[in-house]
Amino acid sequence: MEMITPTTKASVLIEALPYIQRFRDSIFVIKYGGSFMDDPDPEMRGRVATDVAFLASVGIRVVVVHGGGKAITRAMDAAGIEAEFVNGLRRTSAEAVSIVENTLNHSVNLDICNLIQAAKGKPIAIHGNRVLQCKRLTEDADGKAVDIGYVGEVTHVLTQPILYALDNGYTPVISPVAIDASGQPHNINADIAAAHVAKALHARRLVYMSDVPGLLRNPEEPATLISSLKINEVPQLKADGVISKGMVPKVDSAVDALEAGVHRVHLVDGRMPHSILLEIFTHTGIGTELVQA
């Protein structure tokens, strides 16, 4: 095993320095989600929180939008409701939406805030109901009619509470729950919610955590990682089945964010130690970077 010397550590810091200087005061939106959130090892669960605290400590204005699909599925199982997905989106009945809201706002959100606080960060919980407005989702990404219950399409992000938190040195942690014009809560896909928040805040970077190294041409072969992807290449990858299932809303929302002005979108593996820092602060990165054509 190669010994890590003080010189090696110094070289890592020097490599990171220009990125830290470039990104200081920029807004980064991080979609916090993946199987690592359910790992019984507290060290594994805390790694991403440590990365978030690190980014904030070097002057990056970090906003977290979290998922919580597995926690929702467990809560729904306990209530006797079977999970069902349509094109990567969870069908959400009237009974299920209250479970979704309670799980995301009061369980998952609190847990992530506690992890960031344990890493010496300054999280502040923002329930999505406060900042995300929506209408009922009636069409999928291809324009086909869908009816999957109380699943929302974000129509507006109230940025003032988020910016107020950032201006006061906090890291906002936002749950993917939105309300419609009548005040009815809706479930929002966390990837899509993160993209809307990034667009509204004119974020410089949008980072998606996942359970794979990034976008793979062959899901069984990590060596087939696509390191950089232009958005005009996305349609062909969809046609080839490279982008499918749960990756569809992730990539579609990434393209939407890039077209709205977000500079870069990154797909990284939340299970890899400090994957966010390796992707952002090194020359080569370790995940998939999506860029404008």
Side-chain angles (χ1 to χ4, degrees):
M1 183 176 178
E2 184 180 354
M3 180 178 293
I4 300 176
T5 67
T7 300
T8 303
K9 293 180 180 179
S11 67
V12 171
L13 293 173
I14 293 300
E15 181 178 353
L17 178 60
Y19 298 100
I20 292 172
Q21 292 171 327
R22 184 184 311 160
F23 296 142
R24 187 171 183 83
D25 295 325
S26 298
I27 293 177
F28 279 29
V29 174
I30 297 176
K31 187 271 179 162
Y32 196 120
S35 62
F36 71 89
M37 293 174 65
D38 295 286
D39 197 288
D41 181 357
E43 182 180 351
M44 171 70 79
R45 293 173 61 243
R47 282 173 182 164
V48 174
T50 299
D51 286 2
V52 169
F54 182 96
L55 293 174
S57 72
V58 297
I60 295 173
R61 291 152 64 85
V62 184
V63 178
V64 172
V65 178
H66 66 81
K70 292 185 178 181
I72 292 170
T73 297
R74 288 194 297 270
M76 290 177 63
D77 285 345
I81 303 173
E82 184 176 356
E84 182 182 356
F85 293 86
V86 178
N87 295 327
L89 301 175
R90 183 187 298 271
R91 188 183 296 279
T92 308
S93 66
E95 182 181 6
V97 74
S98 63
I99 295 174
V100 169
E101 181 183 18
N102 184 64
T103 302
L104 291 174
N105 284 351
H106 303 293
S107 178
V108 180
N109 190 282
L110 178 61
D111 185 49
I112 293 172
C113 285
N114 287 339
L115 287 170
I116 295 173
Q117 189 168 35
K120 309 303 181 185
K122 289 181 60 179
I124 185 168
I126 297 182
H127 296 169
N129 316 50
R130 289 183 53 206
V131 295
L132 301 178
Q133 298 177 348
C134 72
K135 62 180 181 180
R136 180 79 66 91
L137 182 69
T138 58
E139 293 182 351
D140 64 15
D142 297 320
K144 297 179 181 178
V146 293
D147 182 5
I148 50 178
Y150 290 96
V151 175
E153 177 181 353
V154 176
T155 55
H156 185 64
V157 178
L158 298 173
T159 58
Q160 185 176 1
I162 305 172
L163 292 172
Y164 181 82
L166 289 171
D167 290 343
N168 285 276
Y170 289 96
T171 296
V173 180
I174 304 172
S175 58
V177 179
I179 56 171
D180 65 13
S182 70
Q184 168 65 47
H186 283 67
N187 186 15
I188 305 290
N189 175 276
D191 295 327
I192 297 172
H196 279 279
V197 170
K199 290 191 300 179
L201 295 174
H202 307 291
R204 183 160 185 165
R205 289 286 191 273
L206 170 59
V207 181
Y208 287 119
M209 312 303 299
S210 66
D211 293 332
V212 292
L215 185 60
L216 305 173
R217 291 191 181 276
N218 180 351
E220 305 301 320
E221 295 291 339
T224 64
L225 174 72
I226 301 172
S227 297
S228 183
L229 177 65
K230 295 180 179 179
I231 61 176
N232 60 6
E233 300 175 272
V234 167
Q236 187 60 53
L237 292 176
K238 282 186 175 180
D240 294 341
V242 174
I243 299 172
S244 63
K245 299 180 181 178
M247 191 62 78
V248 172
K250 198 181 301 290
V251 173
D252 283 347
S253 57
V255 171
D256 185 39
L258 287 165
E259 290 178 337
V262 174
H263 292 194
R264 294 283 191 278
V265 180
H266 305 268
L267 308 179
V268 298
D269 191 345
R271 302 167 303 175
M272 177 182 289
H274 308 302
S275 56
I276 297 176
L277 303 185
L278 291 169
E279 177 70 7
I280 298 298
F281 293 132
T282 64
H283 300 324
T284 56
I286 47 85
T288 298
E289 180 184 66
L290 286 89
V291 298
Q292 279 279 11

